[in-house]
Amino acid sequence: MGKSFKVSRRAVRVALLATSLLASSPAFAQLTTATIRGNVTTSAAAAPGATVTATNVDTGFTTTATAGPDGSYVLTGLRPGTYDISFAAPDGASATRRVIVSVGQTATLDFDTAAPEEPVAEAAAAGEGEGIVVTGTRLVETRTSEIATNVTNDQIENLPQNNRNFINFAALAPGVQVNQTEFRQTFGGGGIGTDRNGESLGGPQVNVFIDGVSLRSNVQQGGIVGQDVSRGNPFSQLAVAEFRVLTSNFKAEYEDAGTSIITAITRSGTNTLRGEAFVAYQDESLIARDVFLRRRGGEEPQLERIQYGAGLGGPIIRDRLFFFGSYEANLQDRASAVVPGGTPAQQAQVPFDLDTFRGTFVSPFREHLGFGKLTWQAADNHLVELSGSIRRETDLRGFGGAESRERGESVDNNVYTARLRWDWSGDSFLNEASADYLRADLQFGALGEAGFGRIYQGVISVGGRPQFQEVEQEGITLRNNFSLIDVEWMGSHLIKLGGRVSFQRYRVGGTGPNANPQFEFFQDADRGLDFSSPALVRFGGGDPNLEARTTQVGVFIQDDWELNRHLTLNLGVRWDLDTNFNNRDFVSSDRAREALIAFGNDPRAPTFFDIEDYIATGDRQHDMDNFAPRVGFSYDIGGDQRTVVFGGYGRYYDRALFRNAAEESLFQQYRVGELLFSKNGEPRDGRPTIQFQPQYLTAEGFAALLQSLANDPTSPGTGELRVLPNDLETPYTDQLSLGVRQRLGPFLASLSYSRIVGKDQIAYAPLNRTETTNANGFYDYIPLINGYGNIIAAFNTRESRYDAIYFSLDKPYTRSSGWGFGVAYTHANSRSRGSEFNFDYPNVEEAEFWPNAGDQDHRLVINWIADLPWGFRFSGLANYTSGVPFFVIDATEGFQPGRIRLGHFLATDDTFQVDLRLQKTFQLFNRGEVTLSAEVFNLTNSNNYAAGDNFFGPESDGLVFRNPNSLSGPPRSFQFGAAFRF
């Protein structure tokens, strides 16, 4: 796998066919654009041949379509923004409408050229001067089979949040869970990967596109690159114009996601020079003590956080060439106190001065986000765009309490993206071609030269951490898609086909587990243990580095077929191929093959697998069966966009993460070991020990010890054999949805049912266990040869079932109305069979379905924005959940595999959080404005718990939530900010 990858002839032919088709064809994609379709009439009669022109108010860019024989037209490839839509009938009748379109929309706009023309401008709102504000009617998407929510720029700019992560606003969509911990910020849906603590080898099966560039992590966690160990944000919020959250039944043009997708578009320059600068501040004096600090009587830990940034955009050549750029910084300083634990008597046994390590130390976090874009209208039908982003983070953390400062963890997290895009349109087509680049480089772990780790149990840990890790992901993606606009046959068709070829490189490396030996000291007089010498050492050795390359190919075709003004069908199919997702050239080592064959011949071996499936000979086949049909419909009952019934079915393939394939190789390249020490060299607990010598705590002395034991530097440690099946499948979901939308005055209401069944998810289980339990209810251990302790094998037998009711009610904020309001409600029943590792139920296929983190009776999110007199604006977010499910080990019936239950059987008490923002805008002599803001988070200071005690044994008094140990949100806290705009 460390060699260059091989691609089969069949895969090469598929890739060349896809690219040749697309290179000679026009293209289309709604990852970053919108579509308007409708009918043009004159005095209620169809107006065939009518010219429909969309002119972007800010840039002057135009898009033109001609109405067909029935008066239908399609304007596609529209960048989100405000447009003047002009209708000119052949008889000379004409009219203009000003509208606002959002990313990813397929909106309907019917127009009669004989109808009275609506005004295209309105008076400024209070506090905004006496000028004219360019506004329009925001188009509402009703005739779509997708379950999707658009988050507007007004919501991003005005709703309260304390860390400027635009992903937080995905919670405005029903069916989406935004998960935040101190070092991890991501989202999930569909009952897969929704645990807030994440999952390294599976993940939530989500994807995020920024201007069409995928930020998907293909190595580990399966969410957004850089988010699984970060305090920071994935992208500059200042650069995000708006985004769309798709939670079910999205179309065939979207790839690499089994549950939910976010597609965002960035801001662009316009014909008017516009700029913005902001700053936000928070420290510990603005944060209340949380419930745990209050119980302990402790003070709020020191914190200072400053967030600031600026953006500027405008014309280089009016109506032709524009620029936009932004920069944001997130600077945080926390203070962590190192306080040794244990009793005075225990502390006195430590063979050094504890005051050397005692004290308060700064834990700094620094994040810098940059973005730049050039937009060039080369000709009326050619648009070229070049953009790029930078994310750089450093963090020093992981110390405090009984962990000394030198036990800290250093984190460097860098992500770079670039995109070149070319749009070419004609009378009946639109072409979008692009080349994307992404590189993510994450390094985290032990600090410098802190020496061997020394862990004095219950008192203090000193020395360096056990390892330092590096994870890299780099890829170049070529996209070219196709759209035919004016196809007429039994109605109007918008036919899109296209695809992508992505060349990916992955690398994992660093020092490997326990590469820095960890010596553990215990106090146990009965066993002859004290702090004068270690009880054991854990260590590792071998090659921890691995690199692989793969080519990903994806093609699709989508037909949005409007049969009449009532019925629209969305028909599509997608096919994807990953040429090296399963470590296809990997060959099992002789040592591993011998151990596998010997185990396979053991009569005690289970029968639910074939050992030959796990002996790799370097000829694993591609998973060529990833065909994903997608069918949707919408039926407009009255033909007036008021009451629409919609639904659909689709299959959605995700990605088998590279870490699965990497660990198969790494566990054979690298071994971990453990040695027991004693003062006399006598056995302890039936295991042999080595008489400890002080020089073993030095690098030279420890190396000499290992050399004296065996030529193998990891002997006498035992290794774990991690294996993948030769026919590993790609995880996917089947999604079914049915719902109704209803316009209620200015509101759009939606009620829908969604069923998402996840299949072929990867689960690991030990093979060397008996198939049935013994008399005591346990699976007997089957010894292995060649020094292996366990065979841990991957299976595609993990599944999930998610059934949910979604309700949304939305009225977007507009300056003319001065207010906006939205509601998102989710009721979900979510179950899983199997987990990431399954030692209690090796045969995952026979395990029960138990609740997972997506199982939630009620989740309600309300948001609002309201203009007040004298230039004030008031906005808020209210979030209620019927408790947060957390992982539980239920052994109340006995601590045995046949009786123990593993799942999210418990939820915390109900959670409730209200966040408010009040801002006041001051005009600066008609040359700009200054806005001052004050925000409060968790206004009621609710104790919103995230989890509690999760082990319940036979002596437990029932399975009930008690002894909470973490929070899902902050205590009451305040933040102040200011912004300048012109």
Side-chain angles (χ1 to χ4, degrees):
M1 192 167 177
K3 303 180 295 182
S4 298
F5 64 88
K6 298 178 182 178
V7 183
S8 70
R9 294 181 179 179
R10 183 177 181 185
V12 170
R13 289 198 298 268
V14 171
L16 292 176
L17 175 61
T19 52
S20 63
L21 279 173
L22 301 173
S24 62
S25 304
F28 172 81
Q30 277 187 227
L31 293 175
T32 60
T33 60
T35 297
I36 300 176
R37 64 192 306 174
N39 289 273
V40 185
T41 56
T42 300
S43 299
T51 300
V52 184
T53 303
T55 303
N56 189 296
V57 172
D58 292 319
T59 64
F61 295 172
T62 61
T63 302
T64 302
T66 302
D70 60 352
S72 64
Y73 73 93
V74 177
L75 291 166
T76 193
L78 300 177
R79 304 298 179 91
T82 303
Y83 287 84
D84 284 338
I85 311 293
S86 63
F87 303 87
D91 62 2
S94 64
T96 301
R97 288 280 302 275
R98 176 160 290 175
V99 300
I100 302 171
V101 297
S102 300
V103 62
Q105 274 190 330
T106 300
T108 302
L109 180 62
D110 297 328
F111 199 79
D112 193 310
T113 58
E117 188 169 350
E118 296 183 5
V120 297
E122 61 182 26
E128 295 174 343
E130 300 301 326
I132 298 297
V133 179
V134 177
T135 63
T137 301
R138 182 174 291 277
L139 293 181
V140 177
E141 185 181 35
T142 56
R143 295 173 181 170
T144 178
S145 58
E146 294 177 332
I147 299 180
T149 301
N150 280 79
V151 179
T152 68
N153 186 254
D154 290 311
Q155 290 171 312
I156 295 173
E157 288 190 349
N158 292 290
L159 291 178
Q161 68 159 330
N162 64 359
N163 61 358
R164 293 188 62 82
N165 185 347
F166 78 95
I167 299 296
N168 291 338
F169 296 126
L172 303 182
V176 172
Q177 291 180 229
V178 175
N179 298 310
Q180 290 192 5
T181 64
E182 185 178 4
F183 302 125
R184 189 171 184 272
Q185 302 178 58
T186 186
F187 72 102
I192 298 175
T194 47
D195 192 291
R196 65 198 302 266
N197 296 310
E199 183 180 304
S200 298
L201 299 168
Q205 299 193 22
V206 299
N207 207 340
V208 173
F209 295 92
I210 306 287
D211 284 342
V213 178
S214 171
L215 298 187
R216 166 65 185 257
S217 173
N218 289 330
V219 179
Q220 61 183 11
Q221 295 289 346
I224 311 169
V225 288
Q227 284 304 103
D228 56 305
V229 295
S230 173
R231 301 182 195 267
N233 305 327
F235 198 79
S236 168
Q237 180 169 294
L238 194 61
V240 176
E242 59 180 271
F243 65 94
R244 180 177 176 89
V245 185
L246 299 109
T247 51
S248 183
N249 204 35
F250 38 93
K251 297 178 184 177
E253 58 200 281
Y254 298 98
E255 81 265 1
D256 286 359
T259 58
S260 302
I261 283 177
I262 289 177
T263 177
I265 187 168
T266 58
R267 296 167 64 178
S268 301
T270 68
N271 279 322
T272 303
L273 184 67
R274 293 191 176 97
E276 176 180 355
F278 75 90
V279 63
Y281 179 80
Q282 186 180 66
D283 63 30
E284 75 278 1
S285 67
L286 302 175
I287 303 173
R289 293 186 303 161
D290 65 38
V291 60
F292 302 114
L293 283 173
R294 295 196 302 270
R295 290 173 182 173
R296 294 195 303 264
E299 296 297 324
E300 184 69 31
Q302 296 179 30
L303 165 70
E304 182 177 67
R305 181 175 63 192
I306 301 175
Q307 300 174 90
Y308 62 88
L312 182 67
I316 299 175
I317 302 174
R318 186 175 178 83
D319 291 338
R320 287 297 178 186
L321 181 61
F322 306 93
F323 77 94
F324 177 81
S326 69
Y327 164 77
E328 290 193 48
N330 185 344
L331 313 181
Q332 303 179 30
D333 283 328
R334 290 171 169 80
S336 294
V338 176
V339 181
T343 65
Q346 291 172 321
Q347 293 182 6
Q349 288 197 33
V350 176
F352 51 79
D353 186 359
L354 286 174
D355 289 339
T356 305
F357 298 94
R358 202 186 306 264
T360 300
F361 305 90
V362 174
S363 172
F365 169 80
R366 302 289 184 266
E367 180 181 58
H368 303 276
L369 302 170
F371 174 76
K373 179 196 283 188
L374 290 174
T375 307
W376 178 33
Q377 184 83 37
D380 288 344
N381 61 340
H382 291 276
L383 181 67
V384 179
E385 193 170 83
L386 177 65
S387 63
S389 70
I390 298 176
R391 173 187 181 181
R392 296 183 64 88
E393 291 178 6
T394 59
D395 197 2
L396 180 58
R397 67 198 193 201
F399 58 89
E403 297 286 328
S404 66
R405 167 67 173 71
E406 61 187 6
R407 294 285 289 180
E409 180 180 55
S410 173
V411 180
D412 288 278
N413 188 20
N414 303 312
V415 180
Y416 309 91
T417 71
R419 190 183 205 218
L420 177 63
R421 171 179 172 175
W422 171 38
D423 290 357
W424 169 37
S425 60
D427 292 338
S428 60
F429 69 84
L430 174 70
N431 186 76
E432 181 190 77
S434 68
D436 307 338
Y437 172 78
L438 179 141
R439 180 183 177 186
D441 185 0
L442 173 64
Q443 302 178 19
F444 61 99
L447 293 175
E449 298 296 329
F452 290 171
R454 289 173 292 156
I455 303 166
Y456 296 84
Q457 289 292 337
V459 179
I460 195 168
S461 297
V462 299
R465 283 180 175 268
Q467 68 190 78
F468 185 84
Q469 299 183 49
E470 299 179 67
V471 180
E472 290 184 19
Q473 174 180 330
E474 186 176 30
I476 295 176
T477 302
L478 306 178
R479 296 180 187 272
N480 210 14
N481 304 327
F482 171 69
S483 175
L484 283 175
I485 298 172
D486 59 353
V487 178
E488 297 289 335
W489 178 76
M490 296 180 64
S492 174
H493 296 259
L494 178 59
I495 300 176
K496 314 166 219 177
L497 67 90
R500 65 166 189 144
V501 178
S502 186
F503 305 97
Q504 299 279 326
R505 180 184 70 86
Y506 310 131
R507 190 181 81 84
V508 295
T511 60
N514 292 324
N516 186 37
Q518 302 293 296
F519 290 81
E520 299 187 24
F521 299 74
F522 296 88
Q523 291 181 342
D524 189 339
D526 293 339
R527 301 168 69 203
L529 300 174
D530 56 42
F531 283 173
S532 64
S533 63
L536 60 89
V537 61
R538 304 181 196 276
F539 61 98
D543 182 6
N545 298 287
L546 186 69
E547 181 173 320
R549 298 176 184 271
T550 187
T551 300
Q552 299 172 352
V553 180
V555 293
F556 75 90
I557 184 168
Q558 178 81 38
D559 182 7
D560 293 339
W561 179 9
E562 189 177 87
L563 285 83
N564 50 54
R565 62 187 299 109
H566 298 279
L567 179 61
T568 300
L569 299 179
N570 306 116
L571 310 174
V573 64
R574 181 176 187 90
W575 178 77
D576 287 282
L577 169 70
D578 189 325
T579 62
N580 197 26
F581 82 104
N582 60 351
N583 199 1
R584 64 184 304 270
D585 295 329
F586 176 73
V587 177
S588 300
S589 68
D590 291 342
R591 174 171 166 259
R593 185 170 58 255
E594 289 173 0
L596 288 168
I597 292 174
F599 171 69
N601 291 329
D602 192 310
R604 294 169 295 175
T607 59
F608 57 80
F609 67 91
D610 184 348
I611 200 65
E612 294 294 331
D613 292 341
Y614 293 95
I615 299 176
T617 57
D619 58 354
R620 289 173 173 168
Q621 299 301 306
H622 301 305
D623 185 359
M624 304 288 293
D625 299 327
N626 297 341
F627 287 93
R630 304 180 187 181
V631 179
F633 78 94
S634 65
Y635 187 79
D636 187 344
I637 294 176
D640 55 4
Q641 302 185 66
R642 295 189 61 82
T643 305
V644 178
V645 179
F646 64 92
Y649 161 81
R651 175 161 291 184
Y652 302 84
Y653 281 92
D654 191 65
R655 193 65 65 191
L657 299 179
F658 169 62
R659 183 166 175 174
N660 292 278
E663 292 192 351
E664 181 180 41
S665 293
L666 290 175
F667 273 78
Q668 295 193 36
Q669 295 176 201
Y670 192 94
R671 296 177 65 191
V672 294
E674 178 182 279
L675 296 174
L676 300 187
F677 293 115
S678 66
K679 295 179 180 180
N680 54 18
E682 296 294 326
R684 184 173 67 244
D685 301 331
R687 296 177 60 186
T689 70
I690 296 172
Q691 187 173 6
F692 178 74
Q693 303 294 329
Q695 62 264 31
Y696 295 160
L697 287 172
T698 68
E700 297 79 7
F702 188 66
L705 169 64
L706 295 183
Q707 185 64 37
S708 70
L709 295 174
N711 291 328
D712 180 355
T714 63
S715 178
T718 59
E720 177 183 301
L721 187 56
R722 185 72 61 87
V723 292
L724 298 182
N726 293 320
D727 59 349
L728 186 71
E729 303 289 336
T730 306
Y732 68 92
T733 62
D734 284 330
Q735 300 185 13
L736 177 68
S737 61
L738 182 66
V740 60
R741 294 188 186 93
Q742 178 67 53
R743 297 191 67 157
L744 303 168
F747 289 95
L748 179 65
S750 176
L751 178 65
S752 57
Y753 163 75
S754 177
R755 178 172 175 80
I756 300 175
V757 177
K759 297 184 178 180
D760 283 353
Q761 298 173 41
I762 297 175
Y764 285 88
L767 297 188
N768 55 315
R769 302 291 190 275
T770 54
E771 187 165 8
T772 59
T773 56
N774 58 29
N776 296 319
F778 292 92
Y779 297 98
D780 286 330
Y781 172 83
I782 303 174
L784 302 172
I785 67 170
N786 292 350
Y788 288 108
N790 281 309
I791 303 174
I792 307 300
F795 293 87
N796 281 119
T797 50
R798 188 176 174 187
E799 294 189 16
S800 62
R801 298 172 182 173
Y802 178 82
D803 294 275
I805 300 295
Y806 302 151
F807 173 76
S808 64
L809 182 68
D810 187 54
K811 187 271 177 191
Y813 169 86
T814 62
R815 290 190 173 185
S816 58
S817 67
W819 65 281
F821 181 81
V823 174
Y825 171 79
T826 305
H827 166 76
N829 180 283
S830 189
R831 299 288 187 271
S832 291
R833 179 176 67 190
S835 56
E836 190 174 18
F837 289 95
N838 301 268
F839 282 80
D840 294 288
Y841 293 92
N843 189 356
V844 177
E845 199 166 16
E846 292 187 356
E848 297 181 46
F849 279 85
W850 287 329
N852 60 33
D855 188 56
Q856 200 156 55
D857 285 339
H858 307 289
R859 176 181 289 271
L860 176 66
V861 180
I862 300 174
N863 77 92
W864 68 89
I865 304 172
D867 291 336
L868 304 177
W870 305 298
F872 284 95
R873 180 170 291 163
F874 176 58
S875 59
L877 272 170
N879 189 318
Y880 165 79
T881 71
S882 56
V884 178
F886 62 94
F887 183 74
V888 170
I889 301 172
D890 176 14
T892 54
E893 298 298 322
F895 193 63
Q896 297 172 346
R899 298 178 181 177
I900 196 171
R901 299 192 308 161
L902 307 175
H904 292 69
F905 299 104
L906 288 183
T908 65
D909 295 333
D910 294 358
T911 69
F912 179 67
Q913 181 170 328
V914 176
D915 303 336
L916 303 176
R917 175 185 175 118
L918 182 66
Q919 55 188 4
K920 162 68 176 172
T921 299
F922 302 89
Q923 297 297 314
L924 294 180
F925 311 109
N926 290 324
R927 292 183 179 274
E929 62 183 29
V930 172
T931 300
L932 303 180
S933 63
E935 296 170 283
V936 57
F937 308 101
N938 194 2
L939 175 68
T940 59
N941 204 23
S942 302
N943 297 328
N944 294 321
Y945 297 118
D949 291 349
N950 74 333
F951 173 73
F952 296 84
E955 71 284 356
S956 300
D957 184 18
L959 192 64
V960 296
F961 170 65
R962 58 176 176 266
N963 299 328
N965 55 27
S966 59
L967 296 173
S968 64
R972 181 169 51 235
S973 49
F974 295 87
Q975 180 172 271
F976 298 98
F980 168 69
R981 298 180 180 88
F982 68 88

